[in-house]
Amino acid sequence: MIAIPAPGGGQSLDDAIGFNPALTLRWKLPGRVAATVPVVGVEDSPGLVAALAELDATAVLVRPDRYIAASARSEVEKVAIAVLALPSPVPGHAPAGGTHAG
């Protein structure tokens, strides 16, 4: 488990994505790739940049309980975890809003 700092804008991660998995990205996904979970970009969050640097990762897929499901270093790995199907464990609970940033 890793403490994932809040994304920029003063909003907590839980407020941003609810009880859903999330993909935290250091750099945007290629234009042809659509993530299957909400995306949290790190542009406005030095805490998220530091968390990814600590993991030596460019992307981290976080489960709803905030444990790390997968991490990526390369562009290929980042795309692979972006398209993983990782549903919310709450029946009938769909991600709100699709993406936060990315």
Side-chain angles (χ1 to χ4, degrees):
M1 183 172 172
I2 184 170
I4 302 292
Q11 186 178 38
S12 75
L13 185 62
D14 288 337
D15 288 342
I17 63 167
F19 195 65
N20 290 295
L23 182 64
T24 303
L25 295 173
R26 183 138 189 203
W27 297 287
K28 293 182 179 186
L29 289 169
R32 67 189 185 287
V33 178
T36 58
V37 298
V39 174
V40 177
V42 302
E43 300 85 19
D44 299 322
S45 177
L48 284 173
V49 171
L52 289 175
E54 181 181 328
L55 294 169
D56 191 25
T58 61
V60 173
L61 181 60
V62 182
R63 300 181 338 198
D65 60 5
R66 305 303 179 243
Y67 280 83
I68 294 173
S71 65
R73 290 183 180 167
S74 71
E75 189 76 6
V76 171
E77 292 171 337
K78 181 172 72 173
V79 168
I81 68 172
V83 299
L84 285 176
L86 193 62
S88 173
V90 179
H93 191 265
T99 64
H100 176 271

